[in-house]
Amino acid sequence: MRIKKFILAYPERIILVVALIGLFVHGVKTFNAPPDPDVERINKKLNEIKRVISTNPPLVFPEVKYLETIKSKWDKLASAPELYGGMMFRNTIPLISYAETVVAPKKVILPPIMDKLSVDPELPDRIVISWTKNTEIPIKPLAVISKYRIYRKAAGEKQDKMVTEVKPDPNVLSFAYTDTDNIQPELQYTYYITAFTDEKSDEMTDGKTESIPSVAKQTVTPEIVKLDAIATSSSEQIYMSIEKYIGGKWQKTRDYFKKGDRVGKDKFVTDYEIANITEETVNKSIDPSDPLKTVKKTFFRITLKHVKTGKEIVRETKPVTR
């Protein structure tokens, strides 16, 4: 009877006690609940990721600390002390994307395209080299060209040498350079060009800041002497006109020479001597309507021999009527 009177007198206390007992029983069940399989699976994956990262640390990988922070928070949320209202609160695990370290691609430097070598017969002491910037688009980015290097090799030389460096205009694609460095007559020269960059070698594909050589080209310089025979009435000697390229210009003189003489005097001396003088006679037609109507014309053929190389050239006087 006393219990009944107590319940009727204090019903709110009885309800409170029952509620507390219910919460206590629920809490005990929660503490003793088996591990959540989802939690264990995620923790296992996180531990595997952490182990892989610790054994293979990237050079730049700030996401590792972020991963550790997320795992630490998850461990706390998944543990018993973090109960809210007697129920376990589980936060959604965010998806973590691992950004790869961006490495700038290596650059390449292409050799120029050599166009031609030009030699002017009237300017035998210079060679003009022409080339074009290589605009081929490779897979890798192009390095900025800071200068071109021109190399040459003369016939008989064992090694080539750098003639000069040319700084290019970035707005121009075609270039030219005139080589006047001790150019010798009647000599073969070989040229090639490379491109050079001021960028760091570790930024280049092969670590080299100078390109491979362009395709080489060759040319032969002209003579610096012009010899012309002038008509004469004697086969013993000949009247010669001599032109020689001296000091950047052609100078001219005339004189008589006989067989065996060295052609030229003083500063006009050449490497040729008179090897032979022969008189020739031919019949020349003077009337197109009458082919048989001809006159005899005489000229002299002079053979000149180079005293160093043995090379022979032939000059003829203008034919005169006899």
Side-chain angles (χ1 to χ4, degrees):
M1 293 296 291
R2 290 182 180 180
I3 297 174
K4 184 178 180 179
K5 290 181 179 181
F6 180 81
I7 294 173
L8 293 175
Y10 305 100
E12 69 280 1
R13 296 183 181 182
I14 299 301
I15 294 173
L16 179 60
V17 170
V18 172
L20 290 174
I21 294 172
L23 288 175
F24 176 78
V25 172
H26 179 75
V28 170
K29 290 183 178 180
T30 302
F31 278 112
N32 297 325
D36 192 325
D38 291 337
V39 175
E40 289 189 344
R41 179 174 54 81
I42 293 173
N43 283 334
K44 184 178 180 181
K45 291 293 183 181
L46 290 174
N47 288 330
E48 289 179 358
I49 293 173
K50 186 174 181 181
R51 180 182 58 79
V52 172
I53 293 174
S54 63
T55 55
N56 300 278
L59 296 178
V60 179
F61 203 81
E63 292 80 7
V64 174
K65 291 185 178 180
Y66 178 65
L67 173 64
E68 292 177 348
T69 302
I70 293 299
K71 185 178 184 304
S72 174
K73 289 183 177 181
W74 172 254
D75 290 340
K76 290 181 180 179
L77 291 173
S79 61
E82 295 294 325
L83 294 175
Y84 293 91
M87 297 181 65
M88 179 176 288
F89 174 75
R90 283 190 245 168
N91 191 19
T92 303
I93 293 186
L95 297 176
I96 304 172
S97 59
Y98 297 96
E100 294 183 4
T101 303
V102 178
V103 179
K106 298 288 187 177
K107 300 179 181 179
V108 296
I109 182 166
L110 300 178
I113 301 172
M114 196 165 179
D115 296 329
K116 62 180 179 178
L117 300 177
S118 303
V119 177
D120 187 346
E122 297 301 318
L123 299 170
D125 60 347
R126 60 198 64 190
I127 300 174
V128 180
I129 306 103
S130 303
W131 70 95
T132 306
K133 180 180 179 180
N134 195 335
T135 55
E136 176 185 350
I137 302 177
I139 298 176
K140 298 183 179 180
L142 292 176
V144 177
I145 297 174
S146 59
K147 56 191 169 186
Y148 291 103
R149 290 175 172 173
I150 301 176
Y151 295 85
R152 90 175 186 203
K153 182 180 179 181
E157 294 180 345
K158 294 183 178 181
Q159 291 186 340
D160 47 21
K161 71 172 185 177
M162 188 178 73
V163 177
T164 189
E165 293 181 338
V166 178
K167 186 175 182 179
D169 183 340
N171 300 318
V172 178
L173 296 179
S174 298
F175 307 90
Y177 175 78
T178 302
D179 185 12
T180 58
D181 182 17
N182 194 29
I183 300 296
Q184 299 299 313
E186 300 184 73
L187 189 63
Q188 178 177 285
Y189 288 91
T190 302
Y191 287 85
Y192 66 84
I193 309 173
T194 63
F196 187 85
T197 181
D198 289 334
E199 298 187 35
K200 297 179 181 180
S201 59
D202 57 4
E203 298 178 0
M204 308 302 294
T205 300
D206 54 3
K208 296 180 180 179
T209 54
E210 187 174 12
S211 73
I212 62 174
S214 65
V215 176
K217 290 188 178 293
Q218 297 177 336
T219 189
V220 177
T221 50
E223 297 178 278
I224 59 171
V225 175
K226 297 179 182 179
L227 302 175
D228 290 314
I230 302 175
T232 182
S233 59
S234 171
S235 60
E236 297 297 324
Q237 61 180 7
I238 195 74
Y239 193 53
M240 296 285 295
S241 171
I242 308 170
E243 284 186 86
K244 190 171 183 180
Y245 194 75
I246 303 173
K249 61 181 181 179
W250 290 96
Q251 298 187 37
K252 188 174 183 179
T253 188
R254 293 182 176 183
D255 207 344
Y256 282 95
F257 300 94
K258 64 181 183 296
K259 183 178 179 179
D261 282 352
R262 185 78 167 265
V263 178
K265 292 182 178 180
D266 302 326
K267 64 181 180 180
F268 281 88
V269 67
T270 69
D271 290 325
Y272 287 94
E273 65 180 12
I274 307 295
N276 196 17
I277 302 174
T278 57
E279 184 176 342
E280 304 286 339
T281 302
V282 295
N283 292 325
K284 295 286 185 179
S285 176
I286 59 174
D287 188 353
S289 62
D290 185 4
L292 297 179
K293 191 174 183 180
T294 61
V295 296
K296 288 186 177 182
K297 287 187 174 288
T298 301
F299 66 93
F300 290 90
R301 181 179 284 112
I302 301 96
T303 302
L304 299 156
K305 184 177 182 180
H306 198 285
V307 295
K308 295 180 179 179
T309 64
K311 173 185 175 182
E312 291 187 352
I313 60 174
V314 176
R315 297 289 186 265
E316 295 178 351
T317 62
K318 295 181 179 180
V320 294
T321 303
R322 284 288 180 90

